[in-house]
Amino acid sequence: AFVEAFARRKPAAKPVWAAEIEKAHAAYLEWSTPPQTGPGAVHMGPIIEHLGKVLPEDAILTNGAGNYATWVHRFYRNRRFGTQAAPTSGSMGYGTPAAVAAQSLFPDRTVIAFAGDGCFLMNGQEFATAVQYDLPIIVIVVNNGIYGTIRMHQEREYPSRVVGTELKNPDFAALARAHGGHGETVEKTADFAPAFERARASGKPAIVEIKLDPEAITPTRTITQIRQKL
């Protein structure tokens, strides 16, 4: 009752702290506006920006753990409560099974899973579950051929001493088709929008594989810059 009554109240005058709110909001918009360029032919900034424009407000985004998730958390502007499922414990492999669960619970909503290549290979077999139960999730696999977060720490603490972070990956789009789903491969930024629309139009569980340059390790630093401690 208190909340309902409070919601109906209007301030008598413009609050004295209104300017601070506007300043804080402007800072948020600046911080959450993605860069449009970066290393390689595929740039995650325009991709996240595109998703923010085309996804419905109630779309559910899931992800596991990895540097790729930074792009989602920082630059995708959630507009509704209950539209993100992400691991507070930083668990790799969470995104795909979380998307399966979310699509099961909310069959009429769009569900997008983000996964790094190493992250997807932790629990990617759950894509078969999505196919089995006709759950049209779209898994965006950000494939840079490495365990990105671990590699970042290696380069920062032990420059050029790379140990066990390179990956030999399957063709993720072909893997989706092998399961009976839809598969797309994105090798340049302009490829993403039509590939994503084809995945949605298929009505099937889908994988959209993004071939990301490993140098694009964070939105603000490359591997080379981290190695050189710039």
Side-chain angles (χ1 to χ4, degrees), residues 4-68:
E4 290 176 353
F6 185 76
R8 289 194 295 268
R9 291 190 60 82
K10 303 296 181 183
K14 190 175 182 180
V16 295
W17 33 262
E20 290 301 315
I21 292 177
E22 293 173 1
K23 183 179 177 181
H25 185 60
Y28 162 73
L29 292 177
E30 180 181 3
W31 183 81
S32 63
T33 298
Q36 298 297 302
T37 61
V42 178
H43 305 135
M44 288 298 296
I47 288 174
I48 298 298
E49 194 169 65
H50 176 75
L51 290 174
K53 294 175 180 177
V54 302
L55 290 179
E57 287 190 0
D58 67 347
I60 299 172
L61 273 64
T62 71
N63 63 268
N67 274 26
Y68 71 90

Side-chain angles (χ1 to χ4, degrees), residues 172-195:
F172 290 106
L175 183 64
R177 292 190 289 270
H179 278 294
H182 183 87
E184 295 279 349
T185 303
V186 174
E187 296 186 340
K188 58 181 185 293
T189 307
D191 292 343
F192 178 79

Side-chain angles (χ1 to χ4, degrees), residues 124-137:
Q125 69 273 15
E126 293 303 330
F127 187 81
T129 306
V131 174
Q132 181 173 350
Y133 292 99
D134 297 317
L135 301 171
I137 64 172

